Every structure is written in C-alpha cells, then in structure tokens.
Amino acid sequence: MTDMNMTNGDVDPVALAHPQPLFKMMRDVAPVIDLGPPSGMMLVGGDADVRHVLQHPEIFSSGVDAVHIGQVRPLIPLQIDPPNHKNFRKLLDPIFAPRQIALIEDGTRALVRGMVESVVHRGRCNFHDTVAEPLPSTVFLQLLGLPVERASEFVALKNGIIRPGVTTPDERTAAVNATGQQIYAVLQEVIDERVIAPKSDFISMFLEAEVDGQRLTPDDVLDIGYLFFLAGLDTVTASLDCMLAYLAQHPDQRQRLIDDPSLIPAAIEEMLRWESPVQGVVRITTQATELAGCPIPANTVVSVMIGSANTDERTWESPDSVDFDREINKHIAFGGGAHRCLGSHLARMELRVALEEWHRLVPSYSIVEGTELLYSQGLRAVENLELVW
Ligand code: HEM
C-alpha cells in the first residue's frame, strides 16, 4: 500500500481527457493507494480487486456513509445492502426490463431526430447542449412523471449535486445539502399529486407497488426518486459526450459505424469500456480487512476505479486499443455485484438510438478548431463539445 497526498479538484485537464495512463501509473504504484488526510480515502484500481470489492457488500458496504450527495436517508436501492437490497430490485428490475424499454424506443428516436434536425442545417452545434443533456433528461422525466417543461430546472438541480462548483469540503456539503432539499421538495410535490390522482408513470407505479406484501411508503418512493434523479439524468449525458468526443477525433472508427450501423451496439460497449463515463464508485468498510495484502481499517471509504479496472492489462488483451470487434467485452462500466446498474437497458437503448440518428443525419464532423475539451471529474461530461460539419 502507498500513501499519496492528493487533493480532489486539481486534476490536470489532459489527465481528465485521457485518464488511462494515470490509471496505469496508479496500478503500478500499489494495489491500494491511501490518500491520507483529510479524505482518508483509499483507491483500488486493479480489475480483480475492484470486482472483489463490488462482490463483497458485507465488507465493502454501499450504505449511507459511503457517499453524501445531499440525501437525508439512504438512497434506494443503492445505499441498501443485501439482503434487503434484493427486495427493492425484485420490484424495480421488471420496470426496467428490455421489453419495457423497447416500448419507448420509437418515441426516443423521434426525440433525437427532432434534436438533430434542429441543427443539421447550421453546420455546427454544441453536442452536449443539443443532444447529450436534453435527450436523457426528457426521456427520464417523462418516465418518472416529472414535468418535462421544467427540465432545465431539474438539470440545474442535478448539476448542483454532481458539480456544485465550490472548492472547500464545507462549502460542498452546504451547497449539496441545500440542493438536496430542493430535489426532495420537487419530488414530494409530484408524489403528493400522484397519491391523489395516479397516472401511468413510474412514481405512480412505485406508490402502488408491493415488496413482499408490503406497500412502499411515500418516503421509500422519495428515496428511490432522489437516486433516479441523479442516476438517470447525468450518466447517459456523460456517456454520449464521451462517445461523440471519441468519434469526432477518430474518423476511421466513425466511418466504420456509417458503413455498417449494425456495429453500433458493439462500438457502444467498447467505448463504455474505454471511456468508463462513471469513473468510480465508493464503498465503506464494515470491518478491518485487507486487499491484495494491503490492510484496510474498518470505516474506511474505498473508491473503486472502474475506469482503471476496465483498462487493466492483467485482464484485458490490448487494453489500450479501442477495438469495436472485441469478441469478449465483460467491462464493468455499469458496475458489478448486487448494485449493478438498474438502468443499463434504458441507457443502452438511448445510446444506440442517439448514435444511429445522429450519424444518419451528420455522418462527418469534427471538433471546432482550437477547442480544448474539458471533461468533468467523476462523471465525465464534456460541456464544451463544439462540433462542426
Ligand atoms: C451509460 C449510462 C449509465 C452508466 C455508465 C451507469 C453506471 C452505473 C454504475 C457504475 C452503477 C453502480 C453504482 C455502485 O455500485 O455504487 C450504477 C447503478 C445504478 N444505476 Fe446506472 N448507469 C447508467 C445509466 C443509468 C440510468 C439511465 C438509470 C436510470 C434509472 C440508472 C440507474 C441506476 C440505479 C438505480 C443504480 C443503483 C442500482 C442498485 O443499487 O441496485 N443508471 N449505474
């Protein structure tokens, strides 16, 4: 194990854009890196170690102390450890199953087409603002039952949690708590309306659902809604940003998708592996333990670096080659173990439809000259993704 004094928030933009060499360097330093005070956090980056952590929730808990994002109770199902966790997934999995997601594919396609058609004649656009941010927000707000006309307000609230734009930890806590209260208020408003007059949306479904013969309480629905608000709004946005930025800079790879759109699903999996838009997730140890011979005390926050695991040369053949023909691609961009992403089918559908429609209308494009792409930390959105064609 190695001690490293690092502070968050001052990572070089080049490393944020191309994190893979930094991951390799960290893996070479030690299997577990102790960041020391003030965070006391430990980083784990080897593929086998990351998978071990994700598959042992009894030691590496994702309980409420692992991460604070403005919540006042555990987020459901992410901050509920097994075995209780299973009850919530039993309820939620069917709602997000592929056949349910297929029902909204046509509507999603029409939405993307409208977004791309609105800019195609201009010869340039900011992809983040035009597609990557509005698409998942609109799809998800419709599903959840939140008013789509208030999308920009919700996106600002989500950004207030994920990118609070403050520097010190105390400022961050205060900002995130205040935004969290606003998110609870918005969700509570809709829950109160649906208790009186249910509609055909997820919030109404949750209110009527039962887990082992027990109805979810309105607080349970609030705690599910709060997590969905963050998980559903930002992850697909970050993934679309990363993928279009990659394809804009690799015209040969892009041309393969134009020539044969049936390659898009495999390309999405490979770009999810390579870019790992969700770079890492956190756990907290329930007891003293060890990993790869490195001692980890109880109550330690452990950050598992998904992006590093997905490019670990000990697991992956030619990890640095972005190979759309990779035959076996068991990446963990959607996490692993009990908490593996609930929204993966929805995310994959949105990504596929967006890439198909965008490339049908805008097959050739590049990044506006002189733009240095700025990737955000943690969830890799690229807000200044200026494209020209
Ligand atoms: C490409 C887009 C997405 C990526 C890369 C992604 C990634 C992840 C990852 C890495 C986890 C594991 C978290 C952990 O173990 O701590 C996760 C969990 C989760 N994701 Fe996603 N996600 C995406 C899209 C979505 C969408 C659209 C939804 C909307 C419902 C969603 C809902 C969730 C939920 C509810 C969990 C927690 C599952 C549980 O605790 O059982 N995700 N996601």
Side-chain angles (χ1 to χ4, degrees), residues 77-78 85 89 96 228 231 235 239 281 283 333-335 339 341 343 347:
L78 184 62
H85 171 262
R89 285 297 293 247
F96 285 90
F228 279 24
T235 48
S239 304
V281 298
R283 297 292 187 260
F334 288 114
H339 294 283
C341 181

Side-chain angles (χ1 to χ4, degrees), residues 113-365:
R113 200 171 297 155
M115 288 169 184
V116 186
E117 278 170 354
S118 74
V119 293
V120 72
H121 61 283
R122 288 193 212 150
R124 67 178 287 163
C125 79
N126 176 311
F127 182 82
H128 175 88
D129 293 345
T130 307
V131 180
E133 189 153 85
L135 173 69
S137 315
T138 311
V139 170
F140 199 67
L141 294 176
Q142 279 170 347
L143 279 177
L144 205 56
L146 296 173
V148 175
E149 59 282 5
R150 285 170 65 187
S152 51
E153 180 192 336
F154 299 144
V155 166
L157 289 175
K158 172 266 295 178
N159 284 335
I161 298 282
I162 296 175
R163 303 175 188 89
V166 289
T167 43
T168 70
D170 286 350
E171 280 173 352
R172 184 190 171 278
T173 305
V176 160
N177 285 347
T179 309
Q181 287 307 314
Q182 288 175 268
I183 296 177
Y184 279 120
V186 168
L187 290 167
Q188 190 67 59
E189 214 180 291
V190 180
I191 291 171
D192 291 345
E193 285 170 16
R194 298 300 187 271
V195 167
I196 297 166
K199 289 192 178 176
S200 60
D201 54 36
F202 281 11
I203 296 223
S204 306
M205 264 188 232
F206 298 157
L207 285 166
E208 281 160 24
E210 290 186 356
V211 178
D212 285 348
Q214 298 264 317
R215 280 267 173 111
L216 293 177
T217 65
D219 272 356
D220 288 340
V221 177
L222 198 54
D223 299 335
I224 294 174
Y226 193 104
L227 172 63
F228 279 24
F229 198 90
L230 300 174
L233 291 186
D234 210 66
T235 48
V236 180
T237 299
S239 304
L240 278 172
D241 282 350
C242 288
M243 290 181 187
L244 261 285
Y246 176 84
L247 292 169
Q249 295 170 92
H250 296 85
D252 294 349
Q253 297 271 62
R254 182 178 71 220
Q255 192 57 43
R256 294 195 63 203
L257 306 187
I258 312 291
D259 295 342
D260 179 7
S262 72
L263 200 55
I264 288 178
I268 287 173
E269 296 310 312
E270 180 64 347
M271 289 188 284
L272 280 172
R273 178 191 74 82
W274 176 245
E275 298 286 339
S276 292
V278 176
Q279 293 269 278
V281 298
V282 284
R283 297 292 187 260
I284 187 160
T285 48
T286 57
Q287 60 189 74
T289 186
E290 63 157 47
L291 201 57
C294 305
I296 304 181
N299 277 322
T300 301
V301 176
V302 174
S303 172
V304 291
M305 300 191 290
I306 289 179
S308 172
N310 278 339
T311 49
D312 184 346
E313 61 288 347
R314 287 163 298 184
T315 302
W316 296 90
E317 210 170 295
S318 311
D320 295 334
S321 138
V322 180
D323 178 3
F324 293 169
D325 301 315
R326 197 177 278 281
E327 274 181 17
I328 299 170
N329 195 346
K330 292 191 175 159
H331 65 73
I332 52 164
F334 288 114
H339 294 283
R340 192 180 176 284
C341 181
L342 173 71
S344 63
H345 303 300
L346 172 60
R348 284 183 167 125
M349 183 277 286
E350 290 184 65
L351 295 170
R352 175 173 52 75
V353 165
L355 292 196
E356 284 169 1
E357 291 303 313
W358 173 269
H359 289 100
R360 212 171 48 75
L361 291 166
V362 187
S364 173
Y365 51 93

